[in-house]
Amino acid sequence: MKVPWNDYGGKLSPLKLTVFIALFLPASWTAIAFVTGNLGPRPLNEAIHQQGLWTIRLILIALAITPLKAILLWQRLILVRRMVGVAAFAYIMLHFTLYCADQGFNPLTVASEIVKRIYLTIGFTALVGLTALAATSTDAMVRRMGRKWQTLHRLIYLICLLGLIHYSMQSKLEQWEPVIADGIFVWLMGYRLLAAKFAVRGRLPLVWVAALGVAATVLTALGEAVYFVIAFAGRVTFTGALALNFSLRTGVRPAVIVFAFSLIVLAAGLLRARLAPPPQGRSRGPARYA
Ligand code: HEM
């Protein structure tokens, strides 16, 4: 029988089993907190928020698998990509179902809210996209669609972008975590652009990974500074906002987190390359960057 924790050869994969169990944890945590009355004064709203957060996190994790597989020379990581993607779909359906519950399962209210509120229209478009990807994620569909499958599944970049816009719009003034997610998205997309041009045997040289980390950090800092100038018109200057990245006066800024993320990935890549140097050679070729 085909079970999610077996590899292609039908043998139990500890990696797949661990990830499979881990993917249930956030929703289980919310369910337990809900039942035991530990979700605060507006439990349904809090549950909607938590499932939304996990949807965007899982999409980003799914997008991180291809770069990490190459940087860490860990081919088997690809075994869990589909599982993480399908889990993102499960979480978005949960997010949406809880939202419908909050609206008393009244289809007219749900539909009119989605049409009226732009952040819901954007979220719903992303949900439709994720549904299309989940529906075509079986082995049979991959075989049947051939090259069209890859083209369709590149929609995940757009879906992630829409999810991030929805996230930022509903977060109003509190943009700390959305900006971190944006910075990591920039890194993930930057990796794909660079890998398509400069990968050697499907692996982006680590010097490019280092440059990418710096670029993603700078863009995150600039993006946040522009946001501060617009949102706090007259009270924050552009250079003042940038300077916050070098002090702890307003906590650790998103750009610092993005920098730490980039640094950890680079350090892991360097360590991995030291332990098992990749095969040498100049055969340049486009990386598999789906
Ligand atoms: C891929 C699609 C989507 C993603 C990635 C997503 C993600 C998120 C995230 C990250 C949050 C914020 C959580 C927080 O700040 O704690 C959120 C909030 C929310 N989302 Fe979504 N969402 C999506 C689609 C939808 C859809 C289709 C609906 C309903 C039609 C929806 C309704 C809401 C609502 C009502 C909130 C809370 C807003 C508030 O309390 O002001 N989302 N979503």
Side-chain angles (χ1 to χ4, degrees):
M1 192 182 65
K2 211 160 180 289
V3 285
W5 46 84
N6 281 355
D7 61 18
Y8 291 122
K11 280 207 336 225
L12 177 92
S13 157
L15 172 67
K16 284 188 89 175
L17 182 63
T18 310
V19 173
F20 183 74
I21 294 171
L23 289 170
F24 283 93
L25 296 181
S28 311
W29 191 92
T30 308
I32 293 168
F34 191 87
V35 173
T36 54
N38 284 312
L39 270 191
R42 295 173 66 202
L44 197 50
N45 190 265
E46 181 56 29
I48 294 173
H49 276 247
Q50 289 186 4
Q51 308 325 300
L53 270 177
W54 278 101
T55 305
I56 199 73
R57 285 173 187 161
L58 288 172
I59 296 176
L60 290 171
I61 292 172
L63 284 177
I65 287 176
T66 299
L68 290 183
K69 170 181 78 94
I71 292 171
L72 304 178
L73 301 167
W74 189 5
Q75 296 303 321
R76 287 180 73 77
L77 208 50
I78 203 70
L79 285 177
V80 295
R81 190 176 60 178
R82 175 168 30 182
M83 201 190 269
V84 177
V86 172
F89 170 69
Y91 275 87
I92 190 56
M93 291 318 283
L94 213 53
H95 183 62
F96 182 58
T97 308
L98 290 168
Y99 171 74
C100 293
D102 202 30
Q103 304 298 320
F105 286 112
N106 181 336
L108 282 180
T109 318
V110 171
S112 72
E113 285 291 302
I114 291 174
V115 173
K116 263 196 319 223
R117 295 185 200 278
I118 183 76
Y119 86 95
L120 291 182
T121 317
I122 292 171
F124 192 73
T125 311
L127 178 145
V128 172
L130 263 189
T131 308
L133 300 196
T136 53
S137 70
T138 58
D139 286 340
M141 278 311 245
V142 177
R143 272 195 303 274
R144 194 177 314 158
M145 291 180 70
R147 287 198 69 76
K148 279 197 207 129
W149 187 90
Q150 272 219 337
T151 312
L152 177 72
H153 278 247
R154 290 212 173 115
L155 265 184
I156 191 64
Y157 309 145
L158 180 64
I159 292 169
C160 188
L161 184 64
L162 293 176
L164 289 170
I165 295 173
H166 166 83
Y167 184 12
S168 285
M169 286 179 81
Q170 76 79 42
S171 297
K172 300 173 189 104
L173 280 184
E174 186 38 65
Q175 292 290 336
W176 188 78
E177 199 173 330
V179 174
I180 296 175
D182 294 344
I184 291 184
F185 180 68
V186 166
W187 189 98
L188 294 167
M189 292 297 102
Y191 181 91
R192 284 165 168 83
L193 288 177
L194 292 173
K197 230 174 153 38
F198 303 112
V200 180
R201 293 180 187 273
R203 190 171 189 254
L204 186 63
L206 290 176
V207 61
W208 281 110
V209 177
L212 174 62
V214 174
T217 303
V218 171
L219 285 172
T220 308
L222 291 175
E224 191 193 36
V226 169
Y227 164 73
F228 274 149
V229 170
I230 295 169
F232 302 98
R235 282 178 289 152
V236 183
T237 63
F238 186 68
T239 46
L242 281 181
L244 293 176
N245 289 290
F246 300 97
S247 86
L248 288 175
R249 205 154 48 90
T250 51
V252 180
R253 300 313 313 156
V256 178
I257 309 268
V258 172
F259 183 63
F261 163 81
S262 316
L263 213 57
I264 290 169
V265 173
L266 178 65
L270 284 168
L271 192 68
R272 188 68 182 95
R274 237 188 133 73
L275 294 176
Q280 294 302 304
R282 296 287 315 153
S283 84
R284 210 173 240 211
R288 285 176 19 83
Y289 58 96

